[in-house]
């Protein structure tokens, strides 16, 4: 048994409906001062508990008591499931409707009908718009959405594995922070954790950065990532030569071949190369650059890293050269907004 408390901001029926179809059975519930207290019995074993907590968190639910968890292996729904609710095996990723896999007594079978695994969970069919963007086609070698496309919200949150090299992984999914109409996005995960994605905001920031690149420019890119800035550079036709520096060899081995195959086919005149090393050292080597783009940090609050990268990059610029730091304008805008309303800035100065 699990007690979940939730402040009801919408319809009470909608909250209860979410709980009923999240792999649980409502035992009791009460509503006091706008706070809904629900006792749930979850089907399955304790192996599902981490996934249950993640689902509760995604719905904005607060778990009060984790120690009252019990298991109910004889869960029979009182009503048919909604058409977008299915059950999926966490092992072989097989998907089926719960009402189509029952015992003789009419109760739901929890094991996978394909591989007989007991690691299964309720999930939803995706409502994400399928958009064949160039970045997804480039990174999947043209196999999105036929081969690499999530089918359920569970697969979207975990990500569908496209390829991996060493400790670097390339996945296709969608963050809960992104709107379904913006489509799926590619994720890059390395030994240091999540690095970047091709989400809507990331794409918009890269397109805005390209505007600072002068025509016929010699360009230095600090950080290969998923090659999104390279794609927009190739499309713009502004660069005559591009040097990309990436410190992680696994990322280079994973991403560079995919980019090179795509650019060779669609942008054969795009002149670029990748070097491995520290971008703050490599940017000082060779001839001066007309445009330097630094993308070496995860957060818009890492002001010290931005400031240091900008100071170093300015030492090897042409007279018309410019330096652009990813998320610097966002950092400055947030800082001004907080100062305007009288809030103390928490970023690193």
């Amino acid at each position: 048994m699990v007690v979940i408390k939730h402040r009801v901001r919408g319809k009470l029926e909608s909250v209860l409906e979410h709980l009923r179809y999240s792999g649980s059975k409502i035992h009791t519930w009460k509503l006091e001062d706008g706070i809904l207290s629900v006792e749930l019995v979850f089907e399955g074993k304790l192996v599902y508990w981490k996934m249950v907590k993640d689902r509760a968190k995604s719905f904005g639910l607060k778990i009060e008591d984790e120690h009252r968890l019990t298991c109910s292996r004889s869960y029979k729904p009182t009503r048919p499931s909604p058409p977008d609710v299915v059950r999926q095996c966490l092992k072989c990723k097989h998907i089926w409707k719960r009402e189509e896999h029952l015992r003789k007594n009419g109760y739901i079978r929890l094991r996978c009908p394909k591989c007989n695994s007991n690691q299964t969970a309720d999930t939803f069919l995706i409502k994400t718009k399928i958009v064949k963007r160039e970045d997804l086609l480039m990174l999947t070698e043209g196999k999105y959405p036929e081969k690499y496309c999530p089918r359920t919200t569970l697969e979207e949150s975990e990500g569908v594995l496209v390829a991996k090299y060493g400790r670097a992984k390339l996945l296709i999914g969608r963050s809960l922070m992104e709107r379904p109409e913006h489509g799926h996005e590619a994720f890059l995960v390395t030994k240091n954790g999540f690095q970047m994605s091709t989400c809507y905001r990331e794409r918009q920031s890269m397109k805005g950065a390209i505007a600072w690149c002068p025509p016929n420019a010699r360009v230095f890119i600090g950080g290969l990532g998923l090659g999104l800035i390279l794609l927009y550079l190739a499309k713009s036709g502004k660069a005559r030569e591009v040097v990309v520096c990436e410190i992680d060899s696994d990322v280079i081995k994973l991403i560079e071949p995919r980019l090179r195959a795509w650019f060779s086919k669609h942008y054969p005149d795009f002149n670029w190369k990748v070097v491995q090393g520290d971008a703050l050292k490599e940017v000082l080597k060779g001839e001066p650059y007309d445009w330097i783009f630094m993308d070496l940090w995860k957060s818009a609050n890492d002001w010290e890293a931005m400031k240091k990268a900008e100071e170093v990059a300015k030492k090897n610029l042409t007279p018309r050269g410019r330096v652009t730091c990813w998320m610097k304008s966002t950092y400055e805008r947030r800082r001004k907004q907080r100062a305007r309303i009288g809030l103390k800035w928490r970023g690193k100065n």
Side-chain angles (χ1 to χ4, degrees), residues 111-125:
R111 288 184 175 272
C112 174
K114 187 175 182 180
C115 68
N116 202 37
S117 171
N118 63 353
Q119 300 182 32
T120 64
D122 284 348
T123 183
F124 296 83
L125 296 176

Side-chain angles (χ1 to χ4, degrees), residues 41-100:
V41 178
F42 288 93
E43 55 176 311
K45 296 184 178 181
L46 291 176
V47 70
Y48 307 129
W49 180 232
K50 182 180 182 298
M51 185 173 58
V52 167
K53 290 199 295 183
D54 293 341
R55 175 177 286 276
K57 184 178 179 181
S58 68
F59 284 135
L61 306 178
K62 181 180 180 182
I63 297 177
E64 292 288 329
D65 186 359
E66 300 182 14
H67 303 290
R68 298 178 60 196
L69 178 65
T70 59
C71 302
S72 172
R73 295 190 60 81
S74 59
Y75 171 59
K76 185 177 181 180
T78 57
R79 66 182 73 180
S81 301
D84 60 338
V85 175
V86 294
R87 197 161 185 88
Q88 185 170 22
C89 178
L90 305 181
K91 185 177 180 181
C92 71
K93 304 302 180 182
H94 178 60
I95 300 171
W96 69 96
K97 293 184 178 180
R98 297 189 298 179
E99 290 79 8
E100 295 178 354

Side-chain angles (χ1 to χ4, degrees), residues 7-262:
R7 178 172 292 279
V8 179
R9 295 184 175 88
K11 293 183 179 180
L12 175 62
E13 293 79 5
S14 300
V15 177
L16 294 176
E17 199 74 10
H18 274 304
L19 294 174
R20 287 192 183 99
Y21 295 121
S22 64
S24 61
K25 181 179 179 181
I26 296 178
H27 183 63
T28 61
W29 66 272
K30 63 179 179 179
L31 183 64
E32 293 181 355
D33 299 327
I35 303 295
L36 175 66
S37 299
V38 185
E39 289 188 353
L40 303 176
V41 178
F42 288 93
E43 55 176 311
K45 296 184 178 181
L46 291 176
V47 70
Y48 307 129
W49 180 232
K50 182 180 182 298
M51 185 173 58
V52 167
K53 290 199 295 183
D54 293 341
R55 175 177 286 276
K57 184 178 179 181
S58 68
F59 284 135
L61 306 178
K62 181 180 180 182
I63 297 177
E64 292 288 329
D65 186 359
E66 300 182 14
H67 303 290
R68 298 178 60 196
L69 178 65
T70 59
C71 302
S72 172
R73 295 190 60 81
S74 59
Y75 171 59
K76 185 177 181 180
T78 57
R79 66 182 73 180
S81 301
D84 60 338
V85 175
V86 294
R87 197 161 185 88
Q88 185 170 22
C89 178
L90 305 181
K91 185 177 180 181
C92 71
K93 304 302 180 182
H94 178 60
I95 300 171
W96 69 96
K97 293 184 178 180
R98 297 189 298 179
E99 290 79 8
E100 295 178 354
H101 190 49
L102 305 176
R103 293 193 178 100
K104 293 181 179 179
N105 59 6
Y107 287 87
I108 290 177
R109 290 184 182 272
L110 302 181
R111 288 184 175 272
C112 174
K114 187 175 182 180
C115 68
N116 202 37
S117 171
N118 63 353
Q119 300 182 32
T120 64
D122 284 348
T123 183
F124 296 83
L125 296 176
I126 63 168
K127 296 182 180 180
T128 307
K129 184 178 180 180
I130 303 299
V131 183
K132 290 187 176 182
R133 295 195 317 272
E134 190 172 4
D135 58 290
L136 296 177
L137 294 173
M138 175 179 67
L139 293 169
T140 61
E141 298 175 336
K143 297 178 182 178
Y144 173 87
E146 289 76 17
K147 185 175 181 180
Y148 303 112
C149 182
R151 298 166 295 168
T152 64
T153 53
L154 182 63
E155 289 186 352
E156 279 187 333
S157 59
E158 292 181 349
V160 175
L161 181 64
V162 177
K164 64 179 181 179
Y165 189 94
R167 299 180 66 179
K169 296 181 180 180
L170 172 63
L171 306 106
I172 301 295
R174 181 176 70 85
S175 168
L176 294 175
M177 302 292 292
E178 297 299 320
R179 300 170 65 177
E181 55 266 30
H182 290 160
H184 288 115
E185 55 198 275
F187 296 95
L188 176 63
V189 180
T190 68
K191 59 184 178 182
N192 298 320
F194 173 82
Q195 292 298 312
M196 71 168 295
S197 72
T198 60
C199 65
Y200 176 78
R201 289 173 292 179
E202 188 78 17
R203 298 195 303 271
Q204 293 302 109
S205 68
M206 295 300 178
K207 289 177 182 178
I210 293 297
W212 292 98
C213 179
N216 194 31
R218 186 169 187 265
V219 178
F220 180 89
I221 305 295
L224 174 62
L226 292 169
L228 195 57
I229 191 72
L230 285 173
L231 175 62
Y232 294 142
L233 263 179
K235 291 170 70 70
S236 70
K238 288 185 174 183
R240 71 173 187 272
E241 180 185 358
V242 182
V243 178
V244 185
C245 182
E246 173 60 49
I247 197 170
D248 193 331
S249 60
D250 289 346
V251 173
I252 296 175
K253 297 290 185 180
L254 176 65
I255 301 299
E256 184 188 9
R258 297 174 178 273
L259 304 185
R260 196 162 295 280
W262 187 264

